[in-house]
Amino acid sequence: MSKFDVLCVGNAIVDIIARCDEAFLTENGIIRGAMNLIDVERSTLLYQRMGPAIETSGGSAGNTAAGVASLGGKAAFFGKVSNDQLGEIYTHDIRAQGVAFDTRPLEGHPPTARSMIFVTPDGERSMNTYLGACVELGPEDVEEDKARGARVSYFEGYLWDPPRAKEAIRQTADLTHAAGGEMAMSLSDPFCVDRYRGEFLELMRSGRVDIVFANQHELLALYQTSSFDDAVEAIRQDCSVAAITMSEKGSLVVRGQETARVDVVPVEQVVDTTGAGDLYAAGFLFGYTNGRNLADCGRLGSFAAAQVIKQVGPRLQFSLKEAAQQTGLL
């Protein structure tokens, strides 16, 4: 019996979310719709310039872990915070969601990571992230019992930036595989793909990663092609399962020659797209680790993503399990 459905490994980040217009992005040199890595000085500057903000625990894989738990799954998380006020907020929030989180906090500097997220009127989010304590995650933070006890371990591509985190991810993958589990990853961002294309492909082709989550832009970047069909055929060969999100066109899930097309769940008004991909992964992995077919996994992913884009911030304030039961998905 597995102890956890999903173990997530990622950057432990407190999100600071504010609304802005397009001109603000231009004036402040912010790349629209991307994750921009910044230093502590720029994070201070942007914080001073941003309007009224909401602070909430975030980080891609942490959001996925919280989503799995909200669906009633057993979730765990590895991520590094500092022993400071934001670190205490992050730890409280993720545990309150029902996620097992026991990574030892860092004493002293650097401080807990934070991301200034600017949301434009169309709901698109542009992230400006100071990684802080996140870069200190290393192999010593891998808890063997959790890694061996997960049906699926999952990491965010963003975490491939700090060198010691790569060691932690490889170690987690080896422990999970040794116990009969699978390894999943999110490509996270086209710029992230551009930085690590060769390494990501090697992880997939070597069998260290079994399941890949990508949006269509990340997929095209991975294979350096403008042909979506060619990229889909390529990823079929490179991993066991791929789930590709396509915004309003829904998602495509492939395994070998099996293909499942999943419609998007309509939303009356998109408020904030922060966490949409993270919650898609949460719904999908909950279904996958509980024996659902690929189409059902995709539907659960689409449903979870639709719920989070109706609110500000990536952590839901209601039970996804109850909402999914009301619609007949669970």
Side-chain angles (χ1 to χ4, degrees):
M1 286 292 291
S2 296
K3 188 176 179 183
F4 297 101
D5 294 317
V6 186
L7 161 65
C8 296
V9 188
N11 289 321
I13 300 172
V14 175
D15 290 341
I16 304 170
I17 306 168
R19 298 197 167 280
C20 75
D21 56 20
E22 299 286 348
F24 182 92
L25 301 182
T26 304
E27 290 163 7
N28 288 280
I30 296 167
I31 300 172
R32 189 182 192 282
M35 194 279 281
N36 308 274
L37 285 176
I38 60 174
D39 58 22
V40 68
E41 288 79 15
R42 182 155 169 80
S43 78
T44 302
L45 176 70
L46 290 177
Y47 185 68
Q48 290 169 345
R49 292 181 178 177
M50 75 194 313
I54 292 171
E55 294 186 4
T56 176
S57 295
S60 178
N63 295 338
T64 298
V68 170
S70 186
L71 280 162
K74 295 173 288 183
F77 179 67
F78 296 163
K80 202 75 167 176
V81 297
S82 197
N83 192 10
D84 56 18
Q85 185 179 4
L86 286 182
E88 289 175 7
I89 289 170
Y90 190 93
T91 300
H92 168 269
D93 285 357
I94 197 163
R95 287 178 176 168
Q97 295 271 356
V99 177
F101 175 51
D102 302 294
T103 307
R104 187 189 301 273
L106 186 69
E107 297 294 336
H109 291 282
T112 297
R114 70 287 312 264
S115 184
M116 266 58 67
I117 301 178
F118 297 95
V119 182
T120 41
D122 61 352
E124 181 62 271
R125 84 285 182 271
S126 303
M127 299 179 288
N128 302 267
T129 304
Y130 168 59
L131 288 173
C134 289
V135 301
E136 301 299 324
L137 185 78
E140 69 278 5
D141 295 307
V142 175
E143 300 161 58
E144 185 173 340
D145 62 327
K146 288 187 174 72
R148 287 184 176 277
R151 289 189 172 95
V152 173
S153 289
Y154 165 89
F155 76 94
E156 58 183 88
Y158 291 132
L159 194 59
W160 208 247
D161 281 306
R164 293 179 70 251
K166 294 182 184 182
E167 297 178 49
I169 290 165
R170 290 189 180 107
Q171 187 174 328
T172 300
D174 292 346
L175 288 166
T176 300
H177 278 141
E182 293 178 271
M183 193 72 184
M185 74 172 291
S186 164
L187 295 185
S188 291
D189 186 286
F191 294 101
C192 191
V193 173
D194 288 339
R195 290 196 295 275
Y196 301 114
R197 181 178 295 106
E199 291 174 69
F200 286 173
L201 286 169
E202 192 277 331
L203 286 169
M204 295 157 58
R205 290 167 179 169
S206 67
R208 203 164 222 156
V209 165
D210 308 288
I211 304 164
V212 176
F213 293 89
N215 66 30
Q216 55 191 349
H217 305 296
E218 294 154 4
L219 181 70
L220 295 175
L222 183 66
Y223 292 105
Q224 295 179 286
T225 179
S226 59
S227 168
F228 181 74
D229 290 341
D230 288 352
V232 170
E233 290 311 305
I235 204 167
R236 283 185 200 273
Q237 309 302 318
D238 285 342
C239 62
S240 297
V241 178
I244 304 143
T245 56
M246 303 175 292
S247 300
E248 70 280 357
K249 295 178 183 175
S251 60
L252 189 71
V253 186
V254 298
R255 177 170 53 196
Q257 292 310 304
E258 184 182 356
T259 303
R261 296 183 183 276
V262 181
D263 291 333
V264 72
V265 174
V267 172
E268 202 167 293
Q269 182 186 7
V270 176
V271 174
D272 174 11
T273 60
T274 308
D278 308 333
L279 269 292
Y280 180 93
F284 187 98
L285 289 172
F286 175 80
Y288 188 82
T289 55
N290 283 277
R292 297 296 192 96
N293 62 43
L294 293 188
D296 277 354
C297 293
R299 289 185 194 103
L300 281 164
S302 291
F303 174 78
Q307 305 316 301
V308 80
I309 64 176
K310 294 190 285 189
Q311 63 166 48
V312 174
R315 300 285 175 89
L316 293 166
Q317 303 304 310
F318 59 88
S319 165
L320 262 181
K321 180 180 180 179
E322 290 178 10
Q325 285 172 335
Q326 287 169 9
T327 62
L329 279 170
L330 289 180

